[in-house]
Amino acid sequence: MGGVAAQIGLGLVCGGYATGAALGWGSQQLALFMGDFGLSAAALAAAVSCFRYARDHGHSFRPAWYLFAFSSFMAAVGNAVWGWYEVVLRQAVPSPSVADLCFLLFAPPAIVGLLVLAKKPVTRAGWVCLGLDSWLIGGSLLTLSWSLALAHTAYVPGESVARAALSLAYPLLDIVLVSMVLALHFRRSHINRSAINTAIAALALTVLCDALFTSPLLREHYSSGQLLDAGWFAGSLLLAYAPWGVRRPADAPPPAAVRARQPHSRPLAGSLAALTPYLAAAVCTLGILYNVVEGRRVDRVVVFTGCTVVLALVVRQGIMLLDNIALTHELAQKENHFRSLVQGSSDVIMIAAPTGILRYVSPAASGVYGREAEELIGSELASLIHPEDLGAVVHEVRRFLAAPPSEEPTTRIECRFRSGRGEWLNVESTVNRHQGGLIFNSRDVTERVRLQAQLRHNAEHDPLTDLPNRALFTERVRGALSGRRASDAGTAVLFIDLDGFKAVNDRLGHQAGDELLVQAARRLHDSVRAGDTAARLGGDEFAALILGDGTRDRAERERRVHEIADRLRGTLSQPYRVDGGEVRVAASIGVAFAEPGISAGDLLRNADLAMYRAKAAGKDRVELYAPQMQAEVVRRTELAARLRTALHDGEFALLHQPVVDLNTGRISAVAAQARWRSAQGILFTPAEFLRVADDGERTAELGRWLLEEAVEQAAERAGIGHRTPVTVRLSARRLLDRSMPLGSVESLLTRHGLPSGSLIIELADSDPRDPRVSFDELEQRLAALRRLGVKIALDGFGSGHAAIDALRRLPVDILKLDRGLVEGIVESARLRKITSGLLRIAGDLGMQSVADGVDMPEQVLALRSMGCTHGQGMAFSGPLDEYRLRRALVRDEYPLPGEVALTGGNRPPSRSHSETPVPPT
């Protein structure tokens, strides 16, 4: 809008000046003022405008606008001097004068400025042709103008040489300027073309007015303020407007729409540029013919100028001929080069007519498609594309052809293409427009598509079992809960865990465990229905998605899914052949049904909760999800949250269970145990509250409290004469924890003054294969503790080869039999033999032995007969508080049961009347 307003304003100002000049301005004095100082003001405005534009815009054409500013300034000074004589001094302008000098200095800067604006030739021949074109135009105009008017001016009798030269200078400079304007009209640069066109038009208008002024007919009757001045005035204002008339930056490329239209205008511009020398020669010929027709003697200037024009035309045509020969040779080389590229390319290049008929196929088709190019030429492109892909290809081609070429020059199409070997190839094509048809640059991407499909399969499937993984299973559950199956409440998710798999992995190794998982996955996949999905979620956890059949009866669909789950449980619990042997694992399965509005994540969580309930209820069973399971999880979460502050709030208490000598009944040590009595009065055992202490920091803090409290109370008891050692159970990872350094145990014993040998650390979780435990560091740590007088007991002895391996490497003083051995020692003759052998090992190594979980008199007798030295359990006493513990230490003896016959049957054991149960409070 700003550009349109400027153009309207410019037209109004120029039109107003022309109207005033046509009407004579109302008075002679005003006409002289407007004809002199008005033109000076317009030329000064052009000078200021071009100067400011050149100063503010640092592009390659800055010198041209500086030259235009200087040229306009000379015109302004010349008109001002002219007005000084006519308006101020009221006298005729002398000839020659300073004004003539200024007017003569107008043309040379403008000519050089036009040269700067020209598009520079890239070769020497181009520069020579530019000079020849300028002379052809200038010489022709000189011939014509000399014949018409300049000859009379040059030979005026009695006129001085200076006045004659001055009279010829104006038209000759104008001829040069006109030659440059015409020559540069076809060679102007594409950068800011609108500004250059406007500047050329302004200079052309100025030259036209100069030519009219030099005409003898007009010059004899000219006076300032006439209509001729309106042309100079408009030319100056047009030059002032030229650099500012376009808002687009000078160095910016033309917009896409302009670029799209440029090819259509190039043929016309090229034709006019090619005709320029011939038109110039025609003008020169007309000048000579004019003299002949008028019967005049041909002037020497005309003859000389005509000869030079003809010579320039001959030279130019010779240069153009040589240039055309070189271009033809270069074009042939490029054509051969591109033909070699096309024929030697591994991509297939095809040109299709608008009707879809193939007009050209490159030789690469034989290697890519297995079909000769001649065989494909003339066939329809649609007949070669897979029918399933044809619709998408046609739609994309139509959309591409309807789009503007400037916005979308190419498109990409991928489809299946019939090969000569009878198979479908995946082909990717880049499509371009070509004379109403299309060019296809195609390449075989079959291997890439196969690789992508393989990568997608690997990303969505378990690498060991090839079942869908958690991500794909969750996506399929999400799909089952949406769409047309969203309202089917019979859809269910089965969460499956293999019970006993860890033991197989530990006993037989990871390779055997992987083989078992592969067999279990195969059984699971073969057991589900065709539309259902079996997946491995990780480790020994599997899942199955059972799609509903539209059954509305809740009991019926629960019965159906429960039967499927129970059949899967039985299948997965069958023996497995692994490493030439037979192993057994069980399956715990949790089932959750889809409810209206439930998400995939919630459905999987519900099935997971049901599976954990099945494991807690005894394993090898199927459990259906119930809302109270979630409530139990919430309760455990709340319990864990309360546990974080229970230690600081003093809710933990320390109890001790006596360890009794099985030969004398005397108390040889006490085992420290923590109890948590919550603010609600509920008493939790370690098995209960450690299950919810899921963060290692909380467990570590509780272990430090237990050790410090046990040492402190043991020191207090030693102070009053009870030097009974205290046993504190710690895990191997806790002993190596940086939060409990070696010096802390020493400082703890020193601070409380606990005598040497009064602390027994009961080592738990001492599996040498545990990557979290460094056995070398553990051995050094235990040796350092023994140097402090601390005794080391190995917990869980007999539960597996891990304890045997730990016994071989670690410095141990006491062996503590696993509770699992003690529980069945009365009924099982096999367990008695195993336990007897372990106790014999302890005796041979000179170690004490402690049996944990001795709850019945029969167990006491059996263990004593096998050589077990100490026992701990309800057969003697439960955990005691400090008051009852001290009473027991004062008594310092528990009655031992008499001889009781052992049986191998499963009859209920009898309880000794001498047993002293103590409530854990």
Side-chain angles (χ1 to χ4, degrees):
M1 291 299 295
V4 174
Q7 294 172 6
I8 293 175
L10 179 64
L12 291 176
V13 173
C14 294
Y17 190 95
T19 303
L23 298 178
W25 296 104
S27 67
Q28 182 64 27
Q29 190 68 20
L30 181 59
L32 293 176
F33 181 85
M34 294 300 296
D36 295 333
F37 291 110
L39 292 182
S40 179
L44 184 62
V48 173
S49 174
C50 294
F51 180 81
R52 287 192 56 191
Y53 182 79
R55 185 190 63 184
D56 297 341
H57 296 77
H59 49 79
S60 58
F61 291 155
R62 173 184 286 181
W65 295 106
Y66 275 133
L67 290 170
F68 291 153
F70 179 75
S71 178
S72 298
F73 181 73
M74 288 293 100
V77 174
N79 282 292
V81 172
W82 198 286
W84 174 263
Y85 282 103
E86 287 190 333
V87 178
V88 178
L89 301 181
R90 297 179 182 273
Q91 64 182 32
V93 181
S95 181
S97 65
V98 177
D100 292 324
L101 177 62
C102 293
F103 289 145
L104 289 176
L105 291 176
F106 167 81
I111 293 171
V112 178
L114 289 175
L115 287 174
V116 174
L117 291 179
K119 184 168 62 176
K120 307 298 186 299
V122 295
T123 62
R124 293 181 179 179
W127 281 104
V128 173
C129 288
L130 177 62
L132 292 175
D133 289 344
S134 300
W135 171 242
L136 286 170
I137 298 172
S140 301
L141 293 178
L142 177 60
T143 303
L144 185 61
S145 58
W146 190 273
S147 301
L148 295 176
L150 295 183
H152 302 287
T153 304
Y155 300 121
V156 175
E159 190 173 9
S160 65
V161 177
R163 286 186 59 82
L166 183 61
S167 300
L168 291 175
Y170 283 114
L172 291 177
L173 288 175
D174 287 339
I175 288 174
V176 175
L177 192 56
V178 169
S179 302
M180 295 305 303
V181 167
L182 291 177
L184 294 178
H185 177 70
F186 303 108
R187 290 180 174 271
R188 60 192 184 277
S189 175
H190 295 295
I191 300 177
N192 206 355
R193 173 173 284 190
S194 298
I196 297 175
N197 288 341
T198 306
I200 292 176
L203 294 175
L205 182 59
T206 303
V207 171
L208 178 62
C209 294
D210 287 345
L212 293 174
F213 175 74
T214 56
S215 173
L217 297 177
L218 289 180
R219 190 167 185 179
E220 293 178 358
H221 306 284
Y222 172 78
S223 62
S224 296
Q226 292 182 352
L227 191 59
L228 184 61
D229 291 348
W232 281 315
F233 183 84
S236 296
L237 290 187
L238 198 60
L239 185 59
Y241 167 77
W244 307 99
V246 181
R247 297 300 182 93
R248 180 167 47 87
D251 292 332
V258 176
R259 292 198 303 270
R261 291 196 298 266
Q262 282 176 359
H264 302 286
S265 62
R266 283 174 185 167
L268 179 60
S271 300
L272 293 176
L275 291 175
T276 299
Y278 302 102
L279 293 175
V283 171
C284 182
T285 304
L286 288 176
I288 298 175
L289 288 176
Y290 175 78
N291 285 275
V292 175
V293 171
E294 292 291 328
R296 300 177 182 178
R297 183 176 59 87
V298 179
D299 194 280
R300 288 175 296 178
V301 175
V302 174
V303 174
F304 177 78
T305 305
C307 291
T308 56
V309 168
V310 173
L311 180 60
L313 181 60
V314 172
V315 173
R316 186 185 187 282
Q317 290 303 108
I319 293 175
M320 294 301 297
L321 179 61
L322 294 176
D323 195 22
N324 287 337
I325 293 174
L327 288 176
T328 303
H329 181 67
E330 183 180 357
L331 182 61
Q333 287 183 337
K334 289 185 177 180
E335 185 178 354
N336 293 331
H337 175 69
F338 284 111
R339 182 180 291 109
S340 301
L341 288 178
V342 170
Q343 294 180 352
S345 174
S346 60
D347 293 350
V348 180
I349 299 175
M350 302 182 296
I351 300 178
T355 57
I357 302 299
L358 294 177
R359 297 188 304 191
Y360 172 80
V361 179
S362 66
S366 60
V368 176
Y369 298 149
R371 306 176 68 173
E372 296 298 329
E374 293 77 8
E375 178 187 350
L376 294 175
I377 295 176
S379 60
E380 290 190 6
L381 183 62
S383 64
L384 306 175
I385 299 176
H386 196 283
E388 296 179 1
D389 302 338
L390 183 59
V393 172
V394 172
H395 178 269
E396 176 61 21
V397 169
R398 289 177 177 174
R399 185 202 62 79
F400 171 66
L401 293 176
S406 58
E407 297 180 2
E408 191 172 2
T410 63
T411 188
R412 192 178 297 272
I413 294 176
E414 187 169 336
C415 62
R416 284 168 288 180
F417 200 89
R418 186 193 304 275
S419 72
R421 296 177 288 271
E423 58 181 353
W424 293 100
L425 302 177
N426 293 92
V427 176
E428 181 185 68
S429 302
T430 302
V431 185
N432 296 270
R433 298 174 179 84
H434 175 69
Q435 298 178 358
L438 296 172
I439 297 179
F440 291 83
N441 192 341
S442 306
R443 63 201 62 87
D444 183 10
V445 294
T446 304
E447 290 301 322
R448 189 194 72 185
V449 172
R450 290 175 181 171
L451 178 60
Q452 289 176 345
Q454 184 63 40
L455 292 176
R456 188 181 305 110
H457 179 86
N458 294 343
E460 295 178 344
H461 289 76
D462 176 58
L464 178 64
T465 63
D466 204 39
L467 290 179
N469 58 14
R470 182 182 293 271
L472 180 57
F473 184 75
T474 304
E475 185 63 28
R476 291 188 179 179
V477 172
R478 189 178 293 112
L481 298 179
S482 60
R484 61 185 183 88
R485 293 186 177 274
S487 58
D488 192 348
T491 298
V493 169
L494 277 58
F495 212 99
I496 307 166
D497 185 84
L498 299 181
D499 303 321
F501 172 75
K502 185 178 183 302
V504 175
N505 225 13
D506 293 342
R507 188 172 70 254
L508 302 179
H510 291 283
Q511 185 173 357
D514 291 345
E515 185 179 348
L516 188 149
L517 290 176
V518 170
Q519 295 183 29
R522 189 179 302 116
R523 293 183 187 182
L524 179 61
H525 180 269
D526 295 340
S527 299
V528 299
R529 302 173 304 177
D532 299 336
T533 300
R536 182 191 178 203
L537 304 184
D540 60 342
E541 291 183 344
F542 295 85
L545 171 64
I546 308 299
L547 299 178
D549 55 2
T551 304
R552 297 293 180 181
D553 186 4
R554 181 184 182 91
E556 175 61 25
R557 66 171 180 260
E558 288 185 358
R559 184 193 62 79
R560 178 182 62 86
V561 174
H562 196 282
E563 287 180 354
I564 295 175
D566 198 59
R567 186 176 68 252
L568 288 177
R569 182 197 59 78
T571 301
L572 294 174
S573 299
Q574 294 296 322
Y576 295 85
R577 296 292 300 179
V578 176
D579 279 351
E582 188 176 275
V583 296
R584 287 180 177 269
V585 294
S588 296
I589 302 178
V591 181
F593 286 91
E595 301 293 340
I598 194 172
S599 66
D602 291 341
L603 184 58
L604 287 171
R605 181 205 61 196
N606 293 346
D608 192 15
L609 291 175
M611 184 272 294
Y612 277 108
R613 172 59 65 87
K615 294 179 74 69
K619 303 180 181 179
D620 193 19
R621 56 187 295 126
V622 177
E623 286 285 343
L624 300 181
Y625 170 78
Q628 56 266 28
M629 296 181 183
Q630 179 64 23
E632 182 180 348
V633 172
V634 173
R635 187 187 71 84
R636 292 179 57 186
T637 304
E638 293 176 351
L639 189 64
R642 292 202 303 267
L643 179 61
R644 293 186 179 96
T645 60
L647 194 60
H648 300 286
D649 294 342
E651 297 181 8
F652 275 90
L654 188 65
L655 303 182
H656 295 84
Q657 188 172 24
V659 178
V660 179
D661 189 324
L662 296 184
N663 294 316
T664 63
R666 302 190 63 181
I667 300 175
S668 62
V670 292
Q673 299 177 6
R675 291 293 187 273
W676 175 29
R677 186 180 296 278
S678 68
Q680 292 77 20
I682 304 174
L683 185 68
F684 297 101
T685 64
E688 294 172 323
F689 63 74
L690 289 180
R691 190 165 55 243
V692 300
D694 51 358
D695 56 302
E697 181 182 355
R698 197 65 50 198
T699 306
E701 185 179 1
L702 182 60
R704 289 193 295 269
W705 175 86
L706 178 63
L707 180 61
E708 293 179 3
E709 195 73 14
V711 170
E712 181 180 359
Q713 293 188 15
E716 292 179 357
R717 291 192 296 271
I720 59 175
H722 303 300
R723 297 181 176 271
T724 306
V726 61
T727 300
V728 179
R729 190 173 187 268
L730 293 175
S731 66
R733 285 187 292 119
R734 192 62 56 208
L735 277 175
L736 297 177
D737 193 353
R738 295 181 182 273
S739 62
M740 195 181 76
L742 175 63
S744 64
V745 178
E746 182 178 9
S747 62
L748 187 65
L749 297 176
T750 304
R751 184 171 67 251
H752 295 288
L754 191 64
S756 177
S758 297
L759 176 62
I760 302 173
I761 290 183
E762 189 177 296
L763 187 63
D765 302 333
S766 55
D767 189 348
R769 295 170 301 173
D770 191 344
R772 299 169 297 181
V773 177
S774 172
F775 249 56
D776 293 334
E777 294 183 14
L778 182 60
E779 182 179 2
Q780 297 174 7
R781 185 66 182 274
L782 294 179
L785 289 174
R786 293 184 73 190
R787 287 194 293 271
L788 297 175
V790 178
K791 294 183 179 180
I792 306 300
L794 184 62
D795 185 35
F797 189 68
S799 60
H801 64 81
I804 300 296
D805 202 3
L807 178 63
R808 179 177 60 86
R809 297 185 56 183
L810 300 179
V812 178
D813 303 295
I814 302 171
L815 292 180
K816 192 168 186 178
L817 291 179
D818 184 73
R819 178 182 290 269
L821 294 175
V822 177
E823 287 177 351
I825 199 172
V826 177
E827 296 84 1
S828 174
R830 184 181 182 87
L831 279 181
R832 286 199 297 271
K833 292 180 180 180
I834 294 173
T835 305
S836 178
L838 295 175
L839 291 173
R840 191 177 304 112
I841 293 174
D844 293 341
L845 295 176
M847 299 180 182
Q848 294 183 3
S849 54
V850 178
D852 188 18
V854 182
D855 297 333
M856 297 179 296
E858 293 85 349
Q859 296 171 343
V860 176
L861 296 175
L863 291 168
R864 187 170 59 190
S865 65
M866 297 176 190
C868 183
T869 59
H870 297 81
Q872 171 187 342
M874 295 300 294
F876 307 107
S877 171
L880 306 174
D881 58 18
E882 187 65 18
Y883 173 74
R884 294 180 178 176
L885 175 62
R886 293 187 180 185
R887 289 180 54 188
L889 290 175
V890 170
R891 188 171 62 249
D892 193 24
E893 185 177 359
Y894 283 97
L896 296 175
E899 294 294 332
V900 179
L902 298 177
T903 65
N906 294 326
R907 67 177 182 84
S910 61
R911 178 175 290 275
S912 170
H913 293 291
S914 61
E915 188 176 354
T916 311
V918 180
T921 55

